Amino acid sequence: QLQLVESGGGLVQPGGSLRLSCVTSQFTLDYYTIGWFRQAPGKEREGVSYISSSGTSTKYADSVKGRFTISRENGKNTVYLQMNSLKPEDTAVYYCAADLTIYSDDVSTNPNEYDYWGQGTQVTVSS
């Protein structure tokens, strides 16, 4: 089964930064819109950020705008989520997911449209 792999999570103090990576060796990410989602204990999964397969369109949840930046490096088959000014409420398991859109500017925030998911990486923001 095709799968993505997230890395870069960990424990960080409030105000700190982390950079998450999403990679796969099984298929090229160039054709896919990539979304980052997160789920905290006892809460529903929420969308955090998205980048189109063309790389020209991005979207962010209001809760992370101005603090998180999504980017992609197609030559490395990798998508990043740079997270700055982290807050305790950012604590969650972060997942990346891929939606086949083929060099499109389209970005869907509906998780049901995403075909492949990773296992997640834990991000804990605490002093």
Side-chain angles (χ1 to χ4, degrees), residues 5-115:
V5 178
E6 304 93 340
S7 63
L11 173 63
V12 64
Q13 292 185 343
S17 298
L18 286 173
R19 187 177 77 161
L20 305 184
S21 298
C22 174
V23 302
T24 181
S25 60
Q26 297 175 300
F27 57 97
T28 179
L29 293 181
D30 295 15
Y31 303 137
Y32 292 81
T33 291
I34 302 298
W36 284 97
F37 299 82
R38 67 186 181 187
Q39 187 164 21
K43 294 188 177 181
E44 293 187 356
R45 180 178 55 191
E46 65 170 333
V48 175
S49 183
Y50 314 83
I51 186 166
S52 63
S53 52
S54 68
T56 58
S57 297
T58 58
K59 288 185 180 179
Y60 297 91
D62 288 342
S63 59
V64 306
K65 278 181 183 176
R67 301 187 298 121
F68 290 11
T69 303
I70 191 170
S71 62
R72 64 191 309 152
E73 192 167 358
N74 286 348
K76 293 188 176 181
N77 216 35
T78 304
V79 174
Y80 303 101
L81 184 67
Q82 178 67 43
M83 306 188 298
N84 298 329
S85 302
L86 283 162
K87 304 175 181 180
E89 50 263 45
D90 295 317
T91 295
V93 178
Y94 284 70
Y95 302 89
C96 65
D99 173 20
L100 181 64
T101 51
I102 308 181
Y103 298 130
S104 168
D105 294 335
D106 293 339
V107 173
S108 173
T109 60
N110 182 355
N112 294 325
E113 296 195 11
Y114 285 77
D115 307 294

